[in-house]
């Protein structure tokens, strides 16, 4: 007889996944009180599994779509109190109930992951025609995460929702800039085609370039335009911080500091994201986390 998985062990599994995989996000998770940290780790583990099912390029796209559909069906059954031995589903079910997270948001998360699996004729690259198209993609894969997170963080002003959406877009645009070369190797170009044309950059120049070749002046200008858009959306984070519960603010502060720091490093490298993968060093993340933990202590014990 299979032993039932306890809620504590389910959350422990999710924490282990987040610690192993989350990188930037995990530094922010640590700066949360335990119940909220558990919930965030559960949501992250859920997202990680969806991403892994989508990104396994050893499997044809159509089969990956089917695998995601089967996994989503299993989740929907579990979310409706169906029997499950999946520790991630057990933890996420508890988190959604505890923090009043609409299940429709998780459906949108999966829709965002699935959008990378749309059928393309003749192995054509994945592209986005306009920034409006890219914004919708960013909404599904990042803003929805923000809308889930603020429910765990706690808020009462509805204005927080649009600000969380724009914060997610800022994070995702930063990821897109960092990962241009890596994504191109996988046949994905998230830079809008209208922006490529405006800067006289060809799709072929992004997809098929000499490894490590620095960007041209036109390519730097293209990437700088995306960076400027991202910086504009980061302005929403300052407005969002005071709208969430006091003890959750340090976690969001940590996350914003790390991601905005990454964008600034990309800018200081003059947008050369081809020669090397730019990142925030671990020691700097730990310094940011230390300040975040101090802020959490103040939030907990100050009147």
């Amino acid at each position: 007889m299979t032993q039932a998985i306890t809620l504590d062990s389910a959350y422990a599994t999710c924490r282990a996944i987040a610690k192993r995989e989350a990188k930037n996000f995990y530094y922010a998770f640590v700066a949360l009180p335990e119940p909220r940290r558990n919930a965030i780790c559960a949501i992250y583990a859920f997202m990680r599994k969806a991403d892994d099912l989508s990104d396994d390029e050893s499997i044809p796209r159509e089969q990956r779509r089917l695998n995601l559909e089967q996994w989503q069906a299993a989740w929907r059954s579990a979310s409706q109190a169906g029997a499950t031995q999946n520790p991630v589903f057990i933890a996420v079910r508890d988190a959604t109930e505890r923090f009043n997270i609409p299940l429709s948001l998780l459906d949108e998360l999966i829709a965002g992951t699935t959008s990378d699996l749309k059928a393309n004729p003749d192995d054509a690259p994945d592209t986005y025609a306009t920034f409006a198209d890219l914004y919708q993609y960013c909404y599904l894969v990042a803003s929805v995460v923000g809308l889930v997170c603020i429910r765990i963080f706690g808020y009462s002003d509805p204005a927080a929702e649009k600000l969380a959406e724009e914060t997610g877009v800022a994070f995702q645009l930063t990821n897109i800039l960092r990962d241009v070369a890596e994504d191109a190797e996988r046949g994905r170009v998230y830079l809008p085609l209208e922006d490529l044309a405006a800067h006289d950059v060809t799709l072929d120049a992004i997809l098929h370039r000499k490894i490590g070749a620095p960007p041209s002046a036109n390519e730097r200008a293209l990437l700088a335009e995306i960076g400027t858009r991202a910086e504009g959306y980061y302005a929403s984070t300052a407005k969002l911080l005071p709208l969430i519960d006091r003890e959750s603010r340090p976690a969001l502060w940590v996350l914003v500091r790390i991601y905005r720091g990454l964008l600034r490093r990309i800018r200081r490298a003059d947008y050369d994201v081809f020669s090397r993968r730019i990142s925030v060093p671990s020691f700097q993340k730990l310094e940011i986390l230390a300040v975040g933990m101090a802020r959490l202590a103040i939030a907990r014990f100050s009147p």
Side-chain angles (χ1 to χ4, degrees):
M1 182 177 178
T2 303
Q3 186 175 3
I5 297 173
T6 67
L7 184 59
D8 285 346
S9 66
Y11 273 126
T13 296
C14 293
R15 289 194 302 270
I17 292 170
K19 186 174 184 179
R20 183 177 68 247
E21 304 287 348
K23 300 180 175 68
N24 290 337
F25 279 103
Y26 191 71
Y27 288 88
F29 298 168
V30 173
L32 280 169
E34 185 175 6
R36 300 185 199 238
R37 186 190 319 143
N38 280 339
I40 288 278
C41 287
I43 296 299
Y44 177 84
F46 183 91
M47 291 162 36
R48 180 75 267 154
K49 181 61 177 179
D51 284 344
D52 288 347
L53 288 170
S54 172
D55 290 344
D56 186 353
E57 295 182 348
S58 68
I59 299 173
R61 282 192 177 203
E62 181 58 32
Q63 185 59 52
R64 281 183 267 166
R65 274 198 296 274
L66 291 173
N67 291 347
L68 265 168
E69 288 173 5
Q70 293 169 0
W71 178 76
Q72 185 175 21
W75 155 244
R76 284 176 173 164
S77 173
S79 70
Q80 296 164 8
T84 181
Q85 285 292 98
N86 185 313
V88 174
F89 289 169
I90 291 169
V92 172
R93 182 170 62 193
D94 180 75
T96 56
E97 293 171 355
R98 188 184 300 262
F99 292 98
N100 196 27
I101 299 169
L103 297 183
S104 60
L105 287 177
L106 300 188
D107 286 339
E108 287 189 300
L109 280 175
I110 297 170
T113 302
T114 306
S115 68
D116 278 332
L117 296 177
K118 57 183 181 291
N120 280 349
D122 301 322
D123 295 323
D126 294 316
T127 59
Y128 293 83
T130 67
F131 182 72
D133 296 329
L134 180 62
Y135 187 101
Q136 179 60 20
Y137 171 78
C138 292
Y139 172 83
L140 289 172
V141 300
S143 297
V144 173
V145 178
L147 292 171
V148 171
C149 286
I150 62 171
R151 283 163 171 82
I152 296 171
F153 291 161
Y155 71 100
S156 57
D157 188 336
E161 295 175 12
K162 183 62 176 177
L163 296 170
E165 174 185 321
E166 292 175 348
T167 296
V169 172
F171 289 171
Q172 190 61 26
L173 291 178
T174 303
N175 284 339
I176 286 169
L177 283 171
R178 178 194 63 196
D179 297 337
V180 168
E182 179 182 325
D183 288 333
E185 289 176 1
R186 303 173 70 183
R188 297 174 180 176
V189 176
Y190 294 105
L191 308 171
L193 297 181
E194 64 178 5
D195 290 346
L196 267 71
H199 291 279
D200 197 23
V201 174
T202 66
L203 186 60
D204 188 70
I206 302 297
L207 286 169
H208 306 294
R209 62 188 299 117
K210 183 178 179 181
I211 295 176
S216 67
N218 285 2
E219 289 167 346
R220 290 183 200 273
L222 165 65
L223 299 174
E225 181 171 341
I226 302 297
T228 298
R229 285 179 181 151
E231 196 61 61
Y233 288 116
Y234 275 112
S236 295
T237 63
K239 300 174 184 176
L240 177 59
L241 270 168
L243 297 186
I244 65 173
D245 286 359
R246 188 177 179 185
E247 69 174 8
S248 297
R249 291 174 199 166
L252 179 58
W253 180 87
V254 166
L255 199 55
V256 170
R257 288 279 295 191
I258 290 173
Y259 267 90
R260 204 167 192 175
L262 174 58
L263 179 60
R264 287 170 178 166
R265 281 180 164 268
I266 292 170
R267 185 183 297 117
R268 286 200 297 270
D270 199 13
Y271 294 94
D272 184 0
V273 292
F274 298 103
S275 299
R276 62 185 177 90
R277 194 173 194 269
I278 297 172
S279 63
V280 177
S282 294
F283 78 86
Q284 288 192 1
K285 293 178 184 177
L286 290 171
E287 288 173 353
I288 293 169
L289 175 59
V291 176
M293 295 302 291
R295 288 182 172 219
L296 176 59
I298 292 169
R300 280 180 170 175
F301 300 113
S302 296

